Every structure is written in C-alpha cells, then in structure tokens.
Amino acid sequence: DTEVTQTPKHLVMGMTNKKSLKCEQHMGHRAMYWYKQKAKKPPELMFVYSYEKLSINESVPSRFSPECPNSSLLNLHLHALQPEDSALYLCASSQVDSGGELFFGEGSRLTVL
Amino acid sequence: GQNIDQPTEMTATEGAIVQINCTYQTSGFNGLFWYQQHAGEAPTFLSYNVLDGLEEKGRFSSFLSRSKGYSYLLLKELQMKDSASYLCASKAGGGNKLTFGTGTQLKVEL
C-alpha cells in the first residue's frame, strides 16, 4: 500500500464552522506533513510531525490546529477560517530520514464562504 | 532562508528533449528534489540529488552543482503525458522541511 488517503476530497464551510481534514497512510512512515497549495502556486509547508510529535510549525495561524493521534493518522482541525484560506490542502508522509521523498495524498479542496 | 527560481513556462515537441533549470539559495542546503504535478493531482516524486553530478532514472535525469546552486531536470523522448508542472524543491538542514519553487509548467506539443 503506497497510498496516502485524504478525506474529504471537497469541503465547503462558512467562517463560523468547525471542520476537520483527515489523512491516513499505512506505509509505516513516521513523518507526516500538511501543505497548503493555492492555484498555480507551489505547495507551502504548514506543519511537520515526526514520530507523532509536532516538529515544524511554519507560523501558521491558530485557526488551523493539527493533530497526530497515531503513526498512521493526521488531522487538521479548522475553525473560524477566512475566505483567503480557500485552497487545496495536501497531506504527505515520508520516512523520517528519507531525504525528501514525500508521498502526497490527492488533497482536500477547501472553500471558505 | 531559501530562494528557488525556475522558469514559469516551457513548451517542447513530442519526442524531443527538454531541460528545466532551477537555481537555489538555501542556507544549510541538504538536497535538491524534483516533483511532477499534473493539473488537479498531487505532486509525485521524480528525483533527488544531494551530491554533485547526474542521476539518471529512465527518461528522466537530474543534475546538481552545489557550488553554483544549480540543478536541472532533463526529460528525454518527450510524451504528451509529460505535460505537467515540474517543481524544484530544496531541503535545508537535517529536518524534513522541503521548500518548493513556483514550478515550471511544461507543455508538450505534437
């Protein structure tokens, strides 16, 4: 199994809603990532978890709250988002010492109204 | 900090060879990566260079010169399915932080 599975594929939410994005992998990877990608732009790193501990937070606003409940799962909790947060949210995983071979999920396309 | 530059767009002909260049300025440089991303899809890993020289993988090759802060991705025998965005990414330090360039949109024509 070389897949990273993300749900939901599409999400529309209002600025007062609370929602969560979910990511799952069964490759035994102990590093997991959240990236944000706007149209025609490169992915921008948001968070990195290594061995289920948050190792990198790229100064992401607190309305985005990551969680890594176990080595296979990664969540991104969303609350009080702004319309400019509308984007494709990509989850990725890798071996901790792989260098940079990331395996990406297909993403969750988020629209904030 | 990190700064990565690559051309925005390139066009090439089916069956030809194309070279996509990438220059970077990365503190604590620890590797250069190339990813392919088709429209509406997730990026997929193509290659990784940490030492100077050429890495060949089928129709794709990647080159690195650390002293020049320069890499290129070479695509041979171009196929229509190679039309995609090609993202150059650099890694800094021993952590797992990759910074992506803006990507080069390659269009392969008949």
Side-chain angles (χ1 to χ4, degrees):
Chain A
D1 184 359
T2 58
E3 281 192 349
V4 176
T5 304
Q6 290 188 242
T7 55
K9 291 196 182 338
H10 299 275
L11 178 64
V12 179
M13 60 186 291
M15 290 189 285
T16 58
N17 292 158
K18 283 186 182 180
K19 297 286 185 183
S20 296
L21 305 181
K22 298 184 183 302
C23 175
E24 187 169 5
Q25 57 86 16
H26 296 287
M27 293 179 276
H29 291 166
R30 302 300 295 277
M32 296 187 76
Y33 311 74
W34 281 114
Y35 279 84
K36 172 182 176 180
Q37 187 174 28
K38 296 276 226 178
K40 299 189 187 300
K41 298 288 187 183
E44 294 178 6
L45 183 64
M46 299 175 72
F47 303 104
V48 181
Y49 275 82
S50 296
Y51 299 109
E52 296 85 68
K53 286 186 168 42
L54 184 65
S55 59
I56 296 176
N57 176 344
E58 289 288 283
S59 303
V60 179
S62 60
R63 58 185 184 269
F64 295 91
S65 175
E67 178 196 20
C68 190
N70 61 54
S71 60
S72 299
L73 294 175
L74 184 67
N75 299 323
L76 186 63
H77 303 298
L78 314 170
H79 174 53
L81 295 193
Q82 304 296 311
E84 58 265 29
D85 296 322
S86 298
L88 181 67
Y89 289 84
L90 292 163
C91 173
S93 71
S94 74
Q95 300 287 354
V96 171
D97 298 319
S98 72
E101 184 172 357
L102 304 181
F103 291 77
F104 282 90
E106 294 198 346
S108 293
R109 186 161 298 282
L110 173 67
T111 302
V112 182
L113 300 176
Chain B
Q2 299 195 44
N3 188 37
I4 300 173
D5 288 311
Q6 50 182 131
T8 305
E9 295 178 339
M10 297 183 73
T11 301
T13 305
E14 188 179 37
I17 299 172
V18 71
Q19 178 174 313
I20 303 174
N21 296 324
C22 170
T23 57
Y24 64 89
Q25 294 171 313
T26 301
S27 300
F29 176 78
N30 194 22
L32 195 290
F33 305 82
W34 286 94
Y35 280 77
Q36 178 191 62
Q37 187 174 24
H38 286 98
E41 298 183 12
T44 55
F45 171 81
L46 290 178
S47 71
Y48 166 51
N49 296 70
V50 65
L51 299 176
D52 290 351
L54 189 68
E55 294 281 341
E56 296 187 74
K57 193 186 289 186
R59 294 190 299 115
F60 293 67
S61 304
S62 58
F63 172 83
L64 176 67
S65 169
R66 288 174 297 170
S67 62
K68 295 181 180 177
Y70 167 69
S71 173
Y72 67 72
L73 180 70
L74 194 70
L75 292 77
K76 302 176 187 175
E77 301 170 14
L78 279 173
Q79 302 174 9
M80 298 299 287
K81 67 178 182 179
D82 296 329
S83 294
S85 180
Y86 290 85
L87 299 160
C88 174
S90 69
K91 181 181 176 187
N96 289 64
K97 178 176 175 177
L98 274 192
T99 299
F100 286 87
T102 53
T104 297
Q105 187 65 44
L106 174 66
K107 182 178 179 183
V108 180
E109 298 179 328
L110 290 171

